[in-house]
Amino acid sequence: MKRIAVMTSGGDAPGMNAAIRAVVRTGLEYEMEVYGIRQAYTGCLNGDFELLTSREVSGILQRGGTILQTARNEEFRTLQGQRRALRRLNEHGIEGLVVIGGDGSLRGALTLCQLGFPVVGVPGSIDNDIWGTDMSIGVDTALNTIIDALDRIRDTATSHQRAFLIEVMGRNCGYLALMAGILGGAELVITPEQHVSMDDVAQSLIDSYVRGKTHAVAVIAEGASYHVTELAAFLENRKDVGFEIRLSILGHIQRGGSPSAFDRRLASQLGMRAVEALRDGNTGVMVGMNGRQIQLVPLEEVTSQTREMTDSYYELARILSR
Ligand code: F6P
C-alpha cells in the first residue's frame, strides 16, 4: 500500500491531532504517502484532500480540536453519496483510509468497507460509548475538564449551601456522568441508562441536607430522561429540599483543550497501529485498547453492539456519596 488517507469525523475530541500525527509519521515510516481529508465525509465527497508531510503535523500533538476539521454529513448516508466518496478516493489514488471518530463515523467506515474499500477505524469521542475499546481518544481529557469544573462548583456550592445540578455531555451514554460523579465526589448521578425519578432526586437532596452536608452536587448526562432545566424547576417548586438550587451546563468546554498524557499516548498508539493494520491487509476493523493490549475488532461488531457500564460503578458512586 503506497498511498493512504486519514480523516477525523463526528464530534471532535482532544487527542485527534495526536492520532493524525501518528498516522502520518507511521505512514512515512512505511514509505507511504498520507493524505489528509478535510471535514470528514464532506471533504471526501468534495475531493478536499491534501498531502500531509511530517512537518505539517509537527506542533499539533498538544493541540485540542482537529487540524483536519470535522463534520457530520447527510449525503454520505445515501448510497449515491457513498459511491461518490469512493470515486473521489479512487481519483486521488488512495488505497486505504483511516477514520478517526465516534460510532456514527465508524458506521460510515463500515459502509465504505462493504463497498470494497480498505478502511481501519480509530475510536475518537469523548462519550466513551464505542464498543471494542476500554477508552476512546478524548475521554480522559474530557473527564479531567469535568472534574476540574466540579471541584470549582463544589467550592461555591459549599460557601452558599446550595445544591448544583451539573449537566455533562453524553447523549446515549452515561460514562462521563458516572465517572465524573465518582471522581468529583457528587452526591447523585443520573444517566440515560439508569433513570432516577425527579421525586427520587428531591429525596436524595433532602437526605444529604438532613445528614448535614454543606452542599449537594448532582451530575446529569444530557441524555437523561428529563432536561436539567426541567429538573431544576421541579426542585425549586417543591420548596422542601433544604438547599437552594442552581444549575450549570458544562457544554462544549468538555470537548476542547490540550489532550492529557493518557490521550496523547492512546492516540499515538492507536494511530500507529491503524496504519500497520492497513499495511498488513486488515480492513473493516477498529483498533481498540483492551487492558494494555491493542486489539483489532471487526467494525461490524463495533457498530452493532452497545457498550454497557458495569453495575459496580453505580454501586461505587452510591456508596461513596454518603
Ligand atoms: O458525541 C460527542 C458529543 O459531544 C456528545 O456528547 C454530544 O451529545 C454531541 O457530541 C454534541 O454534538 P454537537 O457538537 O454537534 O452539538
Side-chain angles (χ1 to χ4, degrees), residues 181-299:
I182 294 169
L183 306 175
E187 275 62 36
L188 187 64
V189 175
I190 303 162
T191 63
E193 295 91 339
Q194 223 175 69
H195 175 71
V196 183
S197 74
M198 294 205 233
D199 281 319
D200 286 347
V201 176
Q203 193 52 53
S204 162
L205 296 182
I206 291 167
D207 291 346
S208 294
Y209 182 79
V210 169
R211 278 206 297 273
K213 290 208 173 202
T214 50
H215 65 259
V217 169
V219 182
I220 301 156
E222 64 175 326
S225 53
Y226 38 75
H227 192 260
V228 66
T229 50
E230 197 186 335
L231 178 60
F234 172 82
L235 294 170
E236 266 161 12
N237 277 341
R238 286 210 23 165
K239 300 192 189 324
D240 66 342
V241 292
F243 299 107
E244 253 191 330
I245 307 294
R246 290 288 186 274
L247 69 86
S248 179
I249 298 174
L250 298 189
H252 285 78
I253 63 160
Q254 296 164 88
R255 287 239 298 263
S258 179
S260 65
F262 180 91
D263 274 327
R264 293 182 199 198
R265 192 185 76 178
L266 182 68
S268 300
Q269 286 182 297
L270 295 185
M272 175 171 151
R273 193 67 193 91
V275 175
E276 290 178 342
L278 275 179
R279 181 203 56 174
D280 297 344
N282 291 297
T283 174
V285 292
M286 181 193 79
V287 287
M289 190 63 81
N290 181 359
R292 290 180 168 204
Q293 299 293 323
I294 296 178
Q295 60 180 4
L296 300 183
V297 194
L299 280 172

Side-chain angles (χ1 to χ4, degrees), residues 10-13 72 102-103 124-129 168-173 176 222-223 251-252 254-255:
D12 63 352
R72 295 189 165 110
D103 51 350
S125 164
I126 67 163
D127 291 356
N128 218 24
D129 57 348
V168 300
M169 279 190 166
R171 251 183 313 222
N172 307 308
C173 176
L176 286 177
E222 64 175 326
H252 285 78
Q254 296 164 88
R255 287 239 298 263

Side-chain angles (χ1 to χ4, degrees), residues 1 3-9 16 19-20 22-24 26-27 32 34-37 40-41 68 89 94-101 105-106 109 112 117-123 137 267 270-279 282 285-287 299:
M1 197 168 278
R3 186 178 289 179
I4 64 170
V6 58
M7 67 159 79
T8 49
S9 172
M16 280 184 162
I20 295 168
V23 168
V24 171
T26 308
M32 297 170 175
V34 184
Y35 278 75
I37 303 178
Y41 294 107
L68 291 176
L89 287 162
I94 308 292
E95 297 166 277
L97 174 66
V98 176
V99 174
I100 306 165
S105 311
L106 297 173
L112 284 179
F117 198 84
V119 187
V120 170
V122 175
I137 295 167
L270 295 185
M272 175 171 151
R273 193 67 193 91
V275 175
E276 290 178 342
L278 275 179
R279 181 203 56 174
N282 291 297
V285 292
M286 181 193 79
V287 287
L299 280 172

